[in-house]
Short mmCIF file of all heavy atoms in Angstrom, two decimals:
data_model
loop_
_atom_site.label_atom_id
_atom_site.label_comp_id
_atom_site.label_asym_id
_atom_site.label_seq_id
_atom_site.Cartn_x
_atom_site.Cartn_y
_atom_site.Cartn_z
N PHE A 22 -18.35 -51.74 10.42
CA PHE A 22 -18.54 -50.52 9.63
C PHE A 22 -17.78 -49.35 10.25
O PHE A 22 -17.19 -48.53 9.53
CB PHE A 22 -20.03 -50.20 9.53
CG PHE A 22 -20.36 -49.11 8.56
CD1 PHE A 22 -19.83 -49.11 7.29
CD2 PHE A 22 -21.18 -48.06 8.94
CE1 PHE A 22 -20.13 -48.10 6.38
CE2 PHE A 22 -21.49 -47.04 8.07
CZ PHE A 22 -20.97 -47.06 6.77
N ALA A 23 -17.77 -49.28 11.58
CA ALA A 23 -17.03 -48.22 12.27
C ALA A 23 -15.53 -48.33 11.99
O ALA A 23 -14.84 -47.33 11.76
CB ALA A 23 -17.30 -48.28 13.77
N GLU A 24 -15.02 -49.55 11.99
CA GLU A 24 -13.60 -49.75 11.69
C GLU A 24 -13.28 -49.39 10.25
O GLU A 24 -12.21 -48.84 9.94
CB GLU A 24 -13.22 -51.21 11.96
CG GLU A 24 -13.25 -51.61 13.43
CD GLU A 24 -12.92 -53.07 13.63
OE1 GLU A 24 -12.80 -53.80 12.62
OE2 GLU A 24 -12.78 -53.49 14.80
N LEU A 25 -14.23 -49.69 9.36
CA LEU A 25 -14.01 -49.43 7.94
C LEU A 25 -13.92 -47.94 7.63
O LEU A 25 -12.98 -47.49 6.96
CB LEU A 25 -15.14 -50.06 7.12
CG LEU A 25 -15.05 -49.92 5.60
CD1 LEU A 25 -13.83 -50.67 5.07
CD2 LEU A 25 -16.33 -50.43 4.94
N ILE A 26 -14.86 -47.15 8.14
CA ILE A 26 -14.88 -45.73 7.78
C ILE A 26 -13.85 -44.91 8.55
O ILE A 26 -13.49 -43.82 8.14
CB ILE A 26 -16.29 -45.13 7.99
CG1 ILE A 26 -16.70 -45.19 9.47
CG2 ILE A 26 -17.31 -45.84 7.12
CD1 ILE A 26 -18.05 -44.56 9.74
N SER A 27 -13.36 -45.45 9.67
CA SER A 27 -12.34 -44.73 10.43
C SER A 27 -10.93 -45.24 10.14
O SER A 27 -9.95 -44.63 10.61
CB SER A 27 -12.60 -44.87 11.94
OG SER A 27 -12.46 -46.21 12.36
N GLY A 28 -10.84 -46.34 9.39
CA GLY A 28 -9.53 -46.92 9.15
C GLY A 28 -8.87 -47.42 10.43
O GLY A 28 -7.64 -47.48 10.51
N ARG A 29 -9.70 -47.75 11.42
CA ARG A 29 -9.23 -48.21 12.72
C ARG A 29 -8.34 -47.17 13.41
O ARG A 29 -7.48 -47.51 14.22
CB ARG A 29 -8.50 -49.54 12.61
CG ARG A 29 -9.36 -50.68 12.12
CD ARG A 29 -8.65 -52.00 12.20
NE ARG A 29 -9.55 -53.10 11.80
CZ ARG A 29 -9.21 -54.38 11.82
NH1 ARG A 29 -8.00 -54.73 12.22
NH2 ARG A 29 -10.07 -55.30 11.44
N ARG A 30 -8.58 -45.91 13.10
CA ARG A 30 -7.82 -44.83 13.73
C ARG A 30 -8.73 -44.03 14.66
O ARG A 30 -9.93 -43.90 14.43
CB ARG A 30 -7.22 -43.90 12.68
CG ARG A 30 -6.15 -44.53 11.81
CD ARG A 30 -5.44 -43.47 10.98
NE ARG A 30 -6.38 -42.81 10.08
CZ ARG A 30 -6.63 -43.22 8.83
NH1 ARG A 30 -6.04 -44.32 8.35
NH2 ARG A 30 -7.49 -42.58 8.08
N THR A 31 -8.15 -43.49 15.70
CA THR A 31 -8.89 -42.63 16.62
C THR A 31 -8.99 -41.24 16.03
O THR A 31 -7.98 -40.65 15.60
CB THR A 31 -8.18 -42.57 17.99
OG1 THR A 31 -8.14 -43.88 18.55
CG2 THR A 31 -8.94 -41.64 18.94
N GLN A 32 -10.20 -40.69 16.02
CA GLN A 32 -10.44 -39.36 15.44
C GLN A 32 -10.67 -38.36 16.58
O GLN A 32 -11.58 -38.53 17.39
CB GLN A 32 -11.65 -39.41 14.50
CG GLN A 32 -11.45 -40.40 13.35
CD GLN A 32 -12.70 -40.64 12.54
OE1 GLN A 32 -12.64 -41.08 11.41
NE2 GLN A 32 -13.86 -40.36 13.11
N ILE A 33 -9.86 -37.33 16.63
CA ILE A 33 -9.92 -36.34 17.70
C ILE A 33 -11.01 -35.31 17.42
O ILE A 33 -11.13 -34.82 16.30
CB ILE A 33 -8.56 -35.64 17.88
CG1 ILE A 33 -7.45 -36.68 18.10
CG2 ILE A 33 -8.62 -34.67 19.06
CD1 ILE A 33 -7.66 -37.57 19.31
N VAL A 34 -11.77 -34.99 18.43
CA VAL A 34 -12.81 -33.95 18.33
C VAL A 34 -12.17 -32.60 18.58
O VAL A 34 -11.53 -32.38 19.63
CB VAL A 34 -13.94 -34.20 19.35
CG1 VAL A 34 -14.97 -33.08 19.28
CG2 VAL A 34 -14.60 -35.54 19.10
N THR A 35 -12.34 -31.69 17.65
CA THR A 35 -11.71 -30.37 17.75
C THR A 35 -12.72 -29.23 17.81
O THR A 35 -12.34 -28.08 18.01
CB THR A 35 -10.78 -30.14 16.56
OG1 THR A 35 -11.52 -30.26 15.33
CG2 THR A 35 -9.64 -31.15 16.55
N ASN A 36 -14.00 -29.53 17.64
CA ASN A 36 -15.01 -28.48 17.63
C ASN A 36 -15.19 -27.91 19.04
O ASN A 36 -15.63 -28.61 19.96
CB ASN A 36 -16.34 -29.05 17.11
CG ASN A 36 -17.39 -27.98 16.88
OD1 ASN A 36 -17.96 -27.45 17.83
ND2 ASN A 36 -17.62 -27.65 15.62
N THR A 37 -14.83 -26.65 19.22
CA THR A 37 -14.82 -26.06 20.56
C THR A 37 -16.22 -25.91 21.13
O THR A 37 -16.43 -26.08 22.34
CB THR A 37 -14.12 -24.70 20.53
OG1 THR A 37 -14.76 -23.87 19.52
CG2 THR A 37 -12.64 -24.85 20.18
N GLY A 38 -17.19 -25.57 20.30
CA GLY A 38 -18.56 -25.40 20.80
C GLY A 38 -19.11 -26.69 21.37
O GLY A 38 -19.73 -26.70 22.44
N PHE A 39 -18.87 -27.80 20.68
CA PHE A 39 -19.33 -29.10 21.15
C PHE A 39 -18.64 -29.48 22.45
O PHE A 39 -19.28 -29.94 23.41
CB PHE A 39 -19.06 -30.16 20.08
CG PHE A 39 -19.39 -31.57 20.50
CD1 PHE A 39 -20.70 -32.03 20.44
CD2 PHE A 39 -18.41 -32.43 20.97
CE1 PHE A 39 -21.02 -33.32 20.84
CE2 PHE A 39 -18.72 -33.72 21.36
CZ PHE A 39 -20.02 -34.17 21.29
N LEU A 40 -17.33 -29.27 22.52
CA LEU A 40 -16.57 -29.63 23.72
C LEU A 40 -16.96 -28.77 24.91
O LEU A 40 -17.03 -29.25 26.04
CB LEU A 40 -15.06 -29.51 23.45
CG LEU A 40 -14.48 -30.51 22.45
CD1 LEU A 40 -13.00 -30.23 22.21
CD2 LEU A 40 -14.68 -31.95 22.94
N GLU A 41 -17.21 -27.49 24.67
CA GLU A 41 -17.63 -26.62 25.77
C GLU A 41 -18.96 -27.05 26.34
O GLU A 41 -19.18 -27.00 27.55
CB GLU A 41 -17.71 -25.17 25.27
CG GLU A 41 -16.35 -24.52 25.03
CD GLU A 41 -16.48 -23.12 24.45
OE1 GLU A 41 -17.65 -22.69 24.21
OE2 GLU A 41 -15.45 -22.47 24.24
N PHE A 42 -19.86 -27.50 25.48
CA PHE A 42 -21.17 -27.95 25.96
C PHE A 42 -21.05 -29.24 26.75
O PHE A 42 -21.59 -29.36 27.87
CB PHE A 42 -22.12 -28.15 24.78
CG PHE A 42 -23.39 -28.86 25.14
CD1 PHE A 42 -24.38 -28.22 25.87
CD2 PHE A 42 -23.60 -30.19 24.76
CE1 PHE A 42 -25.55 -28.88 26.23
CE2 PHE A 42 -24.76 -30.86 25.10
CZ PHE A 42 -25.74 -30.20 25.84
N THR A 43 -20.38 -30.24 26.21
CA THR A 43 -20.33 -31.56 26.84
C THR A 43 -19.42 -31.58 28.07
O THR A 43 -19.49 -32.52 28.87
CB THR A 43 -19.84 -32.61 25.84
OG1 THR A 43 -18.60 -32.18 25.24
CG2 THR A 43 -20.87 -32.83 24.74
N ARG A 44 -18.57 -30.58 28.23
CA ARG A 44 -17.67 -30.54 29.38
C ARG A 44 -18.06 -29.46 30.39
O ARG A 44 -17.32 -29.19 31.34
CB ARG A 44 -16.23 -30.31 28.93
CG ARG A 44 -15.69 -31.46 28.10
CD ARG A 44 -14.20 -31.38 27.93
NE ARG A 44 -13.62 -32.70 27.83
CZ ARG A 44 -12.34 -32.98 27.97
NH1 ARG A 44 -11.48 -32.00 28.24
NH2 ARG A 44 -11.88 -34.20 27.86
N ALA A 45 -19.23 -28.89 30.21
CA ALA A 45 -19.69 -27.83 31.10
C ALA A 45 -20.19 -28.41 32.42
O ALA A 45 -20.49 -29.60 32.54
CB ALA A 45 -20.79 -27.03 30.43
N ASN A 46 -20.25 -27.54 33.43
CA ASN A 46 -20.83 -27.87 34.73
C ASN A 46 -22.03 -26.97 34.99
O ASN A 46 -22.01 -25.78 34.64
CB ASN A 46 -19.82 -27.69 35.86
CG ASN A 46 -18.73 -28.74 35.83
OD1 ASN A 46 -18.95 -29.85 35.34
ND2 ASN A 46 -17.55 -28.42 36.32
N LEU A 47 -23.06 -27.54 35.58
CA LEU A 47 -24.24 -26.78 35.95
C LEU A 47 -24.49 -26.96 37.43
O LEU A 47 -24.69 -28.10 37.89
CB LEU A 47 -25.46 -27.24 35.13
CG LEU A 47 -26.78 -26.52 35.40
CD1 LEU A 47 -26.66 -25.05 35.05
CD2 LEU A 47 -27.92 -27.17 34.60
N LEU A 48 -24.38 -25.87 38.19
CA LEU A 48 -24.51 -25.92 39.64
C LEU A 48 -23.47 -26.84 40.27
O LEU A 48 -23.72 -27.52 41.27
CB LEU A 48 -25.92 -26.37 40.05
CG LEU A 48 -27.09 -25.50 39.53
CD1 LEU A 48 -28.42 -26.10 39.95
CD2 LEU A 48 -26.95 -24.07 40.04
N GLY A 49 -22.30 -26.87 39.67
CA GLY A 49 -21.21 -27.68 40.19
C GLY A 49 -21.27 -29.15 39.82
O GLY A 49 -20.42 -29.94 40.23
N VAL A 50 -22.27 -29.52 39.02
CA VAL A 50 -22.45 -30.92 38.61
C VAL A 50 -22.19 -31.02 37.10
O VAL A 50 -22.71 -30.20 36.33
CB VAL A 50 -23.87 -31.42 38.93
CG1 VAL A 50 -24.06 -32.86 38.46
CG2 VAL A 50 -24.14 -31.30 40.42
N PRO A 51 -21.40 -32.01 36.66
CA PRO A 51 -21.12 -32.15 35.22
C PRO A 51 -22.40 -32.29 34.40
O PRO A 51 -23.37 -32.91 34.83
CB PRO A 51 -20.27 -33.43 35.15
CG PRO A 51 -19.66 -33.56 36.51
CD PRO A 51 -20.67 -33.01 37.47
N ILE A 52 -22.37 -31.72 33.20
CA ILE A 52 -23.54 -31.76 32.34
C ILE A 52 -23.93 -33.18 31.97
O ILE A 52 -25.11 -33.49 31.74
CB ILE A 52 -23.28 -30.93 31.05
CG1 ILE A 52 -24.59 -30.65 30.30
CG2 ILE A 52 -22.27 -31.61 30.15
CD1 ILE A 52 -25.51 -29.71 31.01
N LEU A 53 -22.94 -34.09 31.95
CA LEU A 53 -23.23 -35.49 31.63
C LEU A 53 -24.17 -36.10 32.68
O LEU A 53 -25.04 -36.90 32.33
CB LEU A 53 -21.94 -36.30 31.56
CG LEU A 53 -20.90 -35.88 30.51
CD1 LEU A 53 -19.74 -36.86 30.50
CD2 LEU A 53 -21.53 -35.76 29.14
N VAL A 54 -23.98 -35.73 33.92
CA VAL A 54 -24.84 -36.25 34.99
C VAL A 54 -26.26 -35.69 34.83
O VAL A 54 -27.25 -36.41 35.03
CB VAL A 54 -24.27 -35.89 36.37
CG1 VAL A 54 -25.19 -36.38 37.49
CG2 VAL A 54 -22.87 -36.50 36.54
N TRP A 55 -26.35 -34.42 34.46
CA TRP A 55 -27.67 -33.82 34.23
C TRP A 55 -28.39 -34.51 33.07
O TRP A 55 -29.61 -34.74 33.13
CB TRP A 55 -27.52 -32.33 33.94
CG TRP A 55 -27.22 -31.50 35.15
CD1 TRP A 55 -26.04 -30.91 35.46
CD2 TRP A 55 -28.12 -31.17 36.21
NE1 TRP A 55 -26.13 -30.23 36.66
CE2 TRP A 55 -27.40 -30.37 37.14
CE3 TRP A 55 -29.45 -31.47 36.48
CZ2 TRP A 55 -27.97 -29.87 38.31
CZ3 TRP A 55 -30.04 -30.97 37.64
CH2 TRP A 55 -29.29 -30.18 38.53
N ILE A 56 -27.65 -34.84 32.02
CA ILE A 56 -28.26 -35.53 30.88
C ILE A 56 -28.81 -36.88 31.33
O ILE A 56 -29.94 -37.27 30.95
CB ILE A 56 -27.23 -35.70 29.75
CG1 ILE A 56 -26.85 -34.33 29.16
CG2 ILE A 56 -27.79 -36.61 28.65
CD1 ILE A 56 -25.73 -34.39 28.14
N PHE A 57 -28.04 -37.61 32.11
CA PHE A 57 -28.50 -38.91 32.63
C PHE A 57 -29.76 -38.73 33.45
O PHE A 57 -30.73 -39.51 33.31
CB PHE A 57 -27.38 -39.53 33.46
CG PHE A 57 -27.75 -40.83 34.13
CD1 PHE A 57 -28.65 -41.71 33.54
CD2 PHE A 57 -27.20 -41.19 35.36
CE1 PHE A 57 -28.99 -42.92 34.16
CE2 PHE A 57 -27.54 -42.37 35.99
CZ PHE A 57 -28.45 -43.24 35.38
N ALA A 58 -29.79 -37.72 34.31
CA ALA A 58 -30.96 -37.48 35.15
C ALA A 58 -32.19 -37.17 34.29
O ALA A 58 -33.29 -37.68 34.54
CB ALA A 58 -30.68 -36.35 36.12
N ILE A 59 -32.01 -36.34 33.27
CA ILE A 59 -33.14 -35.96 32.40
C ILE A 59 -33.67 -37.17 31.64
O ILE A 59 -34.89 -37.40 31.55
CB ILE A 59 -32.70 -34.86 31.42
CG1 ILE A 59 -32.43 -33.55 32.19
CG2 ILE A 59 -33.76 -34.63 30.34
CD1 ILE A 59 -31.80 -32.47 31.35
N VAL A 60 -32.75 -37.99 31.12
CA VAL A 60 -33.17 -39.20 30.38
C VAL A 60 -33.88 -40.17 31.31
O VAL A 60 -34.90 -40.78 30.93
CB VAL A 60 -31.95 -39.87 29.72
CG1 VAL A 60 -32.33 -41.22 29.13
CG2 VAL A 60 -31.37 -38.98 28.64
N ALA A 61 -33.39 -40.32 32.54
CA ALA A 61 -34.02 -41.23 33.50
C ALA A 61 -35.43 -40.76 33.86
O ALA A 61 -36.37 -41.56 33.92
CB ALA A 61 -33.16 -41.34 34.76
N ILE A 62 -35.59 -39.46 34.09
CA ILE A 62 -36.92 -38.92 34.42
C ILE A 62 -37.87 -39.09 33.24
O ILE A 62 -39.03 -39.50 33.40
CB ILE A 62 -36.80 -37.43 34.82
CG1 ILE A 62 -36.05 -37.31 36.15
CG2 ILE A 62 -38.18 -36.79 34.92
CD1 ILE A 62 -35.70 -35.88 36.52
N ALA A 63 -37.38 -38.78 32.03
CA ALA A 63 -38.21 -38.95 30.84
C ALA A 63 -38.61 -40.42 30.65
O ALA A 63 -39.75 -40.72 30.30
CB ALA A 63 -37.47 -38.44 29.60
N GLY A 64 -37.66 -41.33 30.91
CA GLY A 64 -37.96 -42.76 30.81
C GLY A 64 -39.00 -43.20 31.81
O GLY A 64 -39.89 -44.00 31.50
N TRP A 65 -38.91 -42.66 33.05
CA TRP A 65 -39.89 -43.01 34.08
C TRP A 65 -41.28 -42.55 33.68
O TRP A 65 -42.27 -43.30 33.82
CB TRP A 65 -39.49 -42.39 35.41
CG TRP A 65 -40.39 -42.78 36.55
CD1 TRP A 65 -40.26 -43.85 37.37
CD2 TRP A 65 -41.59 -42.09 36.96
NE1 TRP A 65 -41.29 -43.89 38.28
CE2 TRP A 65 -42.13 -42.82 38.06
CE3 TRP A 65 -42.25 -40.95 36.52
CZ2 TRP A 65 -43.29 -42.43 38.71
CZ3 TRP A 65 -43.42 -40.55 37.17
CH2 TRP A 65 -43.92 -41.29 38.25
N VAL A 66 -41.38 -41.32 33.20
CA VAL A 66 -42.68 -40.79 32.77
C VAL A 66 -43.23 -41.61 31.61
O VAL A 66 -44.41 -41.97 31.59
CB VAL A 66 -42.55 -39.30 32.37
CG1 VAL A 66 -43.85 -38.79 31.75
CG2 VAL A 66 -42.18 -38.45 33.58
#
């Protein structure tokens, strides 16, 4: 289904707000690492 709706083409993300959020750093640590930590803690609880 993914191949069908994309025509097997790569689609570039251009939304600046989304990119700024996902590429941000918090206390010198990438936001992606913080997301992993939050999900892991929530999963443990």
Side-chain angles (χ1 to χ4, degrees):
F22 189 48
E24 292 178 352
L25 182 65
I26 63 178
S27 65
R29 297 188 176 183
R30 293 190 298 269
T31 298
Q32 300 171 160
I33 305 301
V34 177
T35 58
N36 188 285
T37 54
F39 176 81
L40 292 177
E41 287 176 358
F42 169 73
T43 53
R44 295 193 149 196
N46 290 332
L47 181 62
L48 301 177
V50 178
I52 194 69
L53 300 185
V54 178
W55 285 108
I56 293 174
F57 176 32
I59 292 171
V60 172
I62 293 171
W65 184 89
V66 172

